[in-house]
Amino acid sequence: MKRFTAKIVDMIKEENLYASQGGPVILSQIENEYGNIDSAYGAAGKSYIKWAATMATSLDTGVPWVMCQQADAPDPIINTCNGFYCDQFTPNSNTKPKMWTENWSGWFLPFGGAVPYRPVEDLAFAVARFFQRGGTFQNYYMYHGGTNFDRTSGGPFIATSYDYDAPIDEYGIIRQPKWGHLKEVHKAIKLCEEALIATDPTITSLGPNLEAAVYKTGSVCAAFLANVDTKSDVTVNFSGNSYHLPAWSVSILPDCKNVVLNTAKINSASAISSFTTESLKEDIGSSEASSTGWSWISEPVGISKADSFPQTGLLEQINTTADKSDYLWYSLSIDYKGDAGSQTVLHIESLGHALHAFINGKLAGSQTGNSGKYKFTVDIPVTLVAGKNTIDLLSLTVGLQNYGAFFDTWGAGITGPVILKGLANGNTLDLSYQKWTYQVGLKGEDLGLSSGSSGQWNSQSTFPKNQPLIWYKTTFAAPSGSDPVAIDFTGMGKGEAWVNGQSIGRYWPTYVASDAGCTDSCNYRGPYSASKCRRNCGKPSQTLYHVPRSWLKPSGNILVLFEEKGGDPTQISFVTKQTESLCAHVSDSHPPPVDLWNSDTESGRKVGPVLSLTCPHDNQVISSIKFASYGTPLGTCGNFYHGRCSSNKALSIVQKACIGSSSCSVGVSSETFGNPCRGVAKSLAVEATCA
């Protein structure tokens, strides 16, 4: 570990990247969240942390070192917070800054799980609360979603998509309103900068679940007003003025008087994205392609490589494969003296993560663990023949454990027992301690079939659909345009895919999330957890798999699949991602956009709330207004509808202001639209399209 850490530090120093050298690197981190598990190691864990701290600081980076989630981080290491909320966090010394190294913008998706998301109102609340209570540094995890290409997923059953509901999504598209609202939050905090860096906050209670924090020194003053109640909006009195605070929100007052932003009131537009399906455009003329456009090679069942080896007993998988492959074959031949066609049961116990069992070359059954429990036990009915029978068990991993006390000992694979049950006279046969033959990986992996350029690809015989252990290949033209691209793997079972030799990751569209745990909408009020806000229950966890445009050529692209369970590749299609609609919903009680802060003082005119729309691409203009209502509109983006009160001028006014422009702004007030219902709080809701 010391050699590795020193190597990384030396590489950074050689490029003059540390801030102490004039570069951009302002912090170094040693260890990560070890404090969550170090108690399991007792005194050795404490000694290790002291050693790691001493080792790191001895490397003389010229910038501070941090340890995340390490309450006893030795001086001068700064202990920091990771989590959904860090406002209550306190560093272990008053000489250390309060730092939030991982603000979790969402959560990861497991295969077999529903899709988690985190409402931006809650995320903005968490950010504002952190700075309200003396925070100095905050970092998002994740700010840009990603993709676990190849076999890089960081933990068992983590899906290939690592979108994380981040402000910028897996495809590089800004996720609205999350990105825009957080941008406004940070602009608002920036307006308080002079006060924030000059002094510590004075925190007082304004009532139950109500809190004010004031940063004041001389003539400089900034304040944060928080309502941490999960249900009730309130009006509070602060410094002689009244302020309306929605539940679970923070208002930011850069001058201790005027609200520039409330975390629950979103000025930013939201966007609805959609995927447009395109058929797989096969390149014509490939000599290998069949009438389906696909060629194929069957992966042999069981032992097929020269580097296989015998071993008595059942081996743990990770130490056997050294992660060279997801796959490990366990193969055994037995002599069955019973009647041909006799039904027995093959009992298998595995540490995970999944397996396929073959009897005499035929798939007899499969089983998988899940993200909460990797281990499993399965009883597979099998039919044996008289005499020699071959049992081939293909065990596979779906990402490796990378965190937890003693996680290196958790293991994977079939460690047994493996027992044949239901033999003659009710006997059983324990196969666990017999001499098994092992093969690390697949023959097709050794042959480099993933590149598509090697091997004897077949296109002449009957095209194999819904059969296990098949390599498939086709050539295709890239979807036109510049929109992000994904492959829809509906119709396939489980496996891995490569585009032009680059692995786009494991696919598993047949792993369906539970029907329970999702809601039509998620109440942002109250503490967030990974299971609070989820969508896509009862559906496959992931059907769309990102293919970077940079990996594609206009034509002549090669797509290779390895299918484990059985599927139909002719059902595969490409999709491209577009922004379908822009929406905004702004009330007459919203603060003006942060960029208009103090503009009323400069212009002499009172500035009110504004609804703004901007097309996502520079070459686009607003082409239509699908909905506009000023009054009491209801619903959400894509499903707005008129309430009991609605101005009959709204649509024409918004159309005139917006159509033909790349962006537009409309004041949200009765001065603009007339007053359709006096004495009622009103808002403006708009849905537009760009082209």
Side-chain angles (χ1 to χ4, degrees):
M1 177 176 167
K2 182 177 181 179
R3 290 196 306 272
F4 176 80
T5 307
K7 174 67 174 176
I8 299 300
V9 167
D10 287 345
M11 290 171 65
I12 296 173
K13 285 182 177 180
E14 287 168 6
E15 300 297 328
N16 295 315
L17 293 177
Y18 280 116
S20 55
Q21 301 171 295
V25 178
I26 62 172
L27 288 175
S28 294
Q29 178 182 338
I30 191 72
E31 263 303 339
N32 186 55
E33 299 183 350
Y34 188 75
N36 295 343
I37 61 170
D38 62 5
S39 61
Y41 295 93
K46 302 299 182 184
S47 297
Y48 165 70
I49 283 299
K50 291 178 181 178
W51 172 85
T54 301
M55 180 271 292
T57 54
S58 72
L59 297 175
D60 191 25
T61 63
V63 301
W65 283 90
V66 300
M67 283 184 172
C68 306
Q69 298 293 88
Q70 193 69 47
D72 59 350
D75 293 340
I77 304 289
I78 302 168
N79 64 305
T80 69
C81 180
N82 291 352
F84 294 119
Y85 308 94
C86 285
D87 51 289
Q88 301 300 316
F89 167 74
T90 302
N92 63 18
S93 167
N94 59 14
T95 64
K96 298 178 182 180
K98 179 174 177 174
M99 302 177 73
W100 191 357
T101 36
E102 289 186 17
N103 179 357
W104 300 333
S105 59
W107 200 244
F108 61 84
L109 170 68
F111 282 123
V115 179
Y117 63 99
R118 186 179 185 188
V120 68
E121 296 95 330
D122 174 66
L123 185 54
F125 169 80
V127 172
R129 283 286 286 161
F130 178 70
F131 286 103
Q132 175 181 8
R133 297 186 63 86
T136 61
F137 171 96
Q138 182 254 320
N139 177 66
Y140 289 102
Y141 181 97
M142 306 277 291
Y143 194 77
H144 193 316
T147 307
N148 290 315
F149 296 120
D150 205 348
R151 300 187 301 115
T152 57
S153 61
F157 295 96
I158 292 179
T160 299
S161 172
Y162 206 77
D163 181 81
Y164 217 83
D165 196 40
I168 302 174
D169 74 11
E170 175 181 6
Y171 298 90
I173 295 177
I174 288 172
R175 174 175 274 115
Q176 295 285 36
K178 183 170 276 191
W179 184 86
H181 191 45
L182 292 177
K183 182 179 180 181
E184 294 276 286
V185 169
H186 288 288
K187 283 183 179 179
I189 294 168
K190 179 73 172 174
L191 290 172
C192 305
E193 181 179 33
E194 187 176 359
L196 294 180
I197 64 175
T199 186
D200 291 328
T202 299
I203 298 174
T204 58
S205 173
L206 300 177
N209 295 321
L210 300 170
E211 186 177 277
V214 177
Y215 292 81
K216 181 173 175 58
T217 177
S219 61
V220 177
C221 187
F224 295 74
L225 308 180
N227 177 5
V228 299
D229 193 87
T230 61
K231 295 179 180 178
S232 300
D233 297 359
V234 295
T235 298
V236 300
N237 186 280
F238 172 73
S239 294
N241 295 312
S242 292
Y243 299 90
H244 178 73
L245 291 177
W248 205 252
S249 77
V250 177
S251 284
I252 301 174
L253 292 66
D255 59 0
C256 284
K257 294 180 181 178
N258 298 292
V259 175
V260 67
L261 178 139
N262 178 272
T263 57
K265 295 184 176 182
I266 300 174
N267 277 321
S268 298
S270 57
I272 298 177
S273 294
S274 62
F275 287 92
T276 300
T277 300
E278 297 190 19
S279 60
L280 195 69
K281 300 175 183 175
E282 296 93 357
D283 283 342
I284 306 301
S286 171
S287 60
E288 294 175 334
S290 67
S291 59
T292 65
W294 291 86
S295 53
W296 63 93
I297 294 176
S298 294
E299 175 70 25
V301 173
I303 307 304
S304 60
K305 294 165 53 180
D307 60 358
S308 62
F309 61 94
Q311 179 74 42
T312 300
L314 296 166
L315 297 180
E316 188 277 327
Q317 182 166 348
I318 297 171
N319 284 298
T320 305
T321 64
D323 196 32
K324 292 178 181 178
S325 171
D326 280 357
Y327 303 101
L328 178 63
W329 280 107
Y330 297 66
S331 184
L332 178 69
S333 290
I334 62 170
D335 190 31
Y336 179 60
K337 295 182 168 47
D339 296 332
S342 296
Q343 280 274 332
T344 61
V345 172
L346 183 62
H347 174 89
I348 304 169
E349 296 186 22
S350 172
L351 297 177
H353 306 141
L355 72 80
H356 306 296
F358 296 81
I359 303 296
N360 298 322
K362 302 294 184 183
L363 180 63
S366 301
Q367 186 59 276
T368 181
N370 57 58
S371 61
K373 185 180 180 183
Y374 314 148
K375 298 179 182 180
F376 58 84
T377 298
V378 61
D379 289 313
I380 300 173
V382 298
T383 301
L384 301 180
V385 299
K388 180 183 176 183
N389 289 264
T390 302
I391 299 172
D392 293 302
L393 307 179
L394 181 60
S395 178
L396 52 125
T397 52
V398 190
L400 299 188
Q401 188 70 26
N402 64 1
Y403 184 71
F406 303 104
F407 76 87
D408 50 316
T409 66
W410 295 4
I414 303 164
T415 53
V418 175
I419 300 171
L420 272 176
K421 297 180 176 180
L423 300 174
N425 300 319
N427 291 330
T428 63
L429 177 61
D430 191 340
L431 307 176
S432 308
Y433 302 100
Q434 298 204 24
K435 181 174 283 189
W436 293 77
T437 302
Y438 292 89
Q439 176 181 299
V440 174
L442 307 172
K443 184 175 183 179
E445 290 177 313
D446 281 11
L447 293 175
L449 296 186
S450 59
S451 69
S453 59
S454 58
Q456 298 299 312
W457 294 89
N458 183 2
S459 60
Q460 303 305 314
S461 57
T462 303
F463 181 65
K465 294 182 182 180
N466 302 312
Q467 295 182 26
L469 306 186
I470 304 290
W471 294 84
Y472 295 102
K473 182 179 80 165
T474 192
T475 56
F476 66 94
S480 58
S482 59
D483 292 325
V485 176
I487 297 178
D488 185 340
F489 275 90
T490 300
M492 300 303 291
K494 180 186 180 301
E496 189 174 350
W498 295 261
V499 171
N500 295 330
Q502 300 271 8
S503 173
I504 64 170
R506 302 180 182 94
Y507 64 83
W508 202 348
T510 52
Y511 208 156
V512 175
S514 166
D515 289 331
C518 292
T519 56
D520 292 336
S521 62
C522 180
N523 184 355
Y524 69 85
R525 302 166 185 86
Y528 178 79
S529 68
S531 60
K532 180 180 180 181
C533 305
R534 298 190 295 180
R535 56 171 66 97
N536 227 41
C537 286
K539 298 178 181 179
S541 299
Q542 185 178 356
T543 57
L544 304 181
Y545 294 78
H546 180 205
V547 182
R549 279 271 181 189
S550 60
W551 292 5
L552 298 176
K553 303 176 290 185
S555 61
N557 299 284
I558 298 174
L559 173 62
V560 174
L561 317 176
F562 174 64
E563 173 57 46
E564 296 171 16
K565 300 175 63 176
D568 180 1
T570 64
Q571 294 186 37
I572 285 176
S573 60
F574 278 102
V575 297
T576 55
K577 188 173 187 180
Q578 300 90 22
T579 299
E580 182 179 311
S581 293
L582 295 176
C583 298
H585 192 178
V586 176
S587 75
D588 54 13
S589 65
H590 271 54
V594 175
D595 285 341
L596 297 181
W597 173 254
N598 274 342
S599 62
D600 53 348
T601 303
E602 297 166 4
S603 66
R605 293 184 302 169
K606 178 68 175 176
V607 177
V610 175
L611 183 147
S612 298
L613 299 172
T614 301
C615 290
H617 300 295
D618 292 340
N619 61 347
Q620 292 181 317
V621 296
I622 297 169
S623 56
S624 70
I625 303 299
K626 298 172 71 173
F627 179 90
S629 177
Y630 176 73
T632 56
L634 301 169
T636 57
C637 187
N639 295 290
F640 285 135
Y641 58 97
H642 295 281
R644 297 182 66 179
C645 161
S646 183
S647 167
N648 57 15
K649 303 177 182 178
L651 181 60
S652 61
I653 290 173
V654 174
Q655 286 175 330
K656 183 177 180 180
C658 297
I659 288 181
S661 300
S662 60
S663 63
C664 63
S665 296
V666 181
V668 181
S669 71
S670 296
E671 292 181 7
T672 306
F673 296 99
N675 195 339
C677 42
R678 298 187 182 278
V680 175
K682 290 174 279 292
S683 63
L684 173 63
V686 176
E687 180 179 355
T689 57
C690 293

